[in-house]
Amino acid sequence: MNATQGPRPLPSPAVDPRDPLSPGTHTLVVRHGTAAVDQRYHVAGTGPVCVAHSGGPGIGWEYLRMPELEHSMTVVYLEPVGTGDSGRLSDPRDYTLATYTHFLHAVIEHLGVAEVALLGHSHGGFVAQRYALDHPERLASLVLYDTSPMTGEEFWAAAVANMTGFVQRHADERPEVATYIVGLTTRLDRSDDAGATKMLRTISPAYFHDYWGREEEFAAGRASLRMFAAPAWGAEPPFDVRGELSRLAVPTLVLVGDDDFICGPRWAHMLHRLLPDARLVILEKTGHLGHIERPEMFTAAVRDFLSE
């Protein structure tokens, strides 16, 4: 893919209702408590099935489109509940890890495939880890892409410190970066999707190794970022599965950009040490969005791992 062009359009949404893996956009109704909630997902490509869960919480799926991977895999892009055209929950505090895992399981069950590969990016990697621990029998393999086995004070202190370093390095030539730390740490107006999206796009150059050096290439990827406000309300303790990962026998690829400020090599090495059957790949000169910044390297790492 030429990054200036952005991802290819998805196939026609007029899918075959008898085939949950027919190319295009699908809507599945999922029971959640007493409610029936629409869960959208999108199918593209050919080959073994790989389910992809985007980050956030509350970031739309579009930025995670991986056209090169679709040449060798049938990629099922989940549109997380609370984002895009998927349904909304009546209580915004209910956007929790257990909720996302519940909807992911409903989609995987609906696909009718004995085992799938599961790729989780960033917060989607938290969901993927929880799902793999709860349903290892449904997974052929796992890709943990720019994520961590924990959050909490230590995790966020490191992210803020890394963002502060980014701001200091670029403040002279890019005065606008002075707002990035506030953008990372502030509590948004959670009723305002447009404001949340604007904030995410504003600070997104920090998610690249060299955004301004290749700004024309990355403009489409930046424009594909959308954030939905309500999901960020989810009320739950910090994520931490460090004490559980030793029992996860699913073959796992831990994939990380060497210049990812938020889920970088520190957390990838931790995952690699804790997982019994893991391969670690570090993408050089790459930030948090390796599939956009280094699509060839990213695709080769994922494809080679999944093909085994």
Side-chain angles (χ1 to χ4, degrees), residues 130-163:
R130 184 70 265 160
Y131 185 83
L133 288 162
D134 293 346
H135 302 282
E137 73 285 352
R138 299 314 310 271
L139 300 185
S141 54
L142 180 65
V143 179
L144 299 178
Y145 167 34
D146 285 330
T147 189
S148 169
M150 58 169 285
T151 58
E153 291 184 8
E154 181 183 357
F155 176 88
W156 287 109
V160 171
N162 291 336
M163 179 66 94

Side-chain angles (χ1 to χ4, degrees), residues 159-160 162-168 170-171 174-186 198-208 211-212 215 222 261:
V160 171
N162 291 336
M163 179 66 94
T164 301
F166 177 89
V167 170
Q168 292 172 345
H170 295 282
R174 298 284 176 178
E176 67 270 22
V177 301
T179 64
Y180 282 21
I181 297 173
V182 174
L184 178 67
T185 58
T186 189
K198 181 179 179 181
M199 180 280 298
L200 178 63
R201 291 179 182 173
T202 295
I203 70 172
S204 63
Y207 290 79
F208 294 82
Y211 178 81
W212 291 294
E215 186 169 3
R222 186 182 192 182
F261 85 91

Side-chain angles (χ1 to χ4, degrees), residues 223-245:
S224 71
L225 291 165
R226 290 196 300 161
M227 189 165 188
F228 297 83
W233 272 109
E236 60 185 333
F239 177 70
D240 191 346
V241 292
R242 288 174 294 176
E244 300 180 70
L245 291 181

